[in-house]
Amino acid sequence: MNESETALWWARVRAAGPQRVAPSSAFPAGMLRLIEPDVTAVWLLTVVPGGAMPSVLEELGLPALAVEQPNDTARVLAACLRCCWAEPTGPMWPGTSASRDEVGAVFGEITNRDEAASNRALLAAIRRLAGAGWLLWDEPGQMVRLGPRVAAWESADLSALRELWRMLPSSVAIGRTDAEGLR
């Protein structure tokens, strides 16, 4: 890959985030290549050095994470991790798909809001996270899966995330509690 092709790839990633390409596509050094479970595509995302300060992100031309409604967004990401990371001792990406209702049950359990407010916050956060590559959102099918950006988390991050996973209720346990309460 020559210099101009490499520069073009970096510009694409800086402008639009992780790129989904054909498996046979060439890619520049410094990019992480994640294969989709069905092997029909791969995701390319930048590898940022661990512990990189905002100045490094600025130097690479990568945006620092700025999010609207950061608390709701973080809670929805946590709920998605709980629902889509099937086995926390294994790799996080690509994870499994979960329905919006499953994620909503976990989100509702940790926020304790009325249903209408919870649904608005959930959908808005899913869309924000999908736009940034943290989640993959199939809106017509109402299914969510962990996005390629989660694969860039380091082992120290994964340790903390495993603990968070264990602390959050599962959507299956919530469903059982709700069903038992209806009797």
Side-chain angles (χ1 to χ4, degrees):
M1 181 164 282
N2 64 37
E3 266 186 47
S4 61
E5 290 171 326
T6 298
L8 182 59
W9 272 113
W10 277 92
R12 285 180 185 143
V13 170
R14 282 193 293 263
Q19 299 290 299
R20 189 172 194 259
V21 298
S24 59
S25 297
F27 63 97
M31 299 259 177
L32 182 61
R33 187 173 183 262
L34 303 169
I35 301 169
E36 281 282 349
D38 60 4
V39 194
T40 58
V42 296
W43 287 92
L44 299 178
L45 66 148
T46 56
V47 178
V48 178
M53 302 302 281
S55 61
V56 173
L57 295 175
E58 186 177 326
E59 185 178 321
L60 292 172
L62 299 172
L65 189 60
V67 178
E68 293 177 36
Q69 302 295 328
N71 294 338
D72 281 343
T73 304
R75 288 180 186 115
V76 168
L77 182 56
C80 289
L81 285 172
R82 183 61 172 106
C83 294
C84 299
W85 191 6
E87 179 52 52
T89 59
M92 185 181 293
W93 199 87
T96 59
S97 294
S99 71
R100 177 180 176 231
D101 292 340
E102 291 174 277
V103 173
V106 174
F107 179 68
E109 189 74 16
I110 61 178
T111 58
N112 196 24
R113 293 185 186 154
D114 70 79
E115 189 174 342
S118 183
N119 283 332
R120 280 191 306 273
L122 174 69
L123 186 56
I126 286 174
R127 287 179 175 153
R128 282 192 297 274
L129 290 163
W134 293 103
L135 298 177
L136 299 175
W137 171 232
D138 171 17
E139 192 156 357
Q142 296 291 291
M143 298 296 285
V144 68
R145 184 166 64 91
L146 297 175
R149 284 192 183 226
V150 301
W153 278 326
E154 296 182 359
S155 59
D157 299 323
L158 292 178
S159 176
L161 290 167
R162 283 185 180 100
E163 187 59 31
L164 174 66
W165 187 94
R166 286 181 189 92
M167 291 171 37
L168 291 172
S170 74
S171 59
V172 174
I174 294 167
R176 267 197 309 261
T177 303
D178 290 347
E180 290 168 0
L182 294 174
R183 291 183 189 156

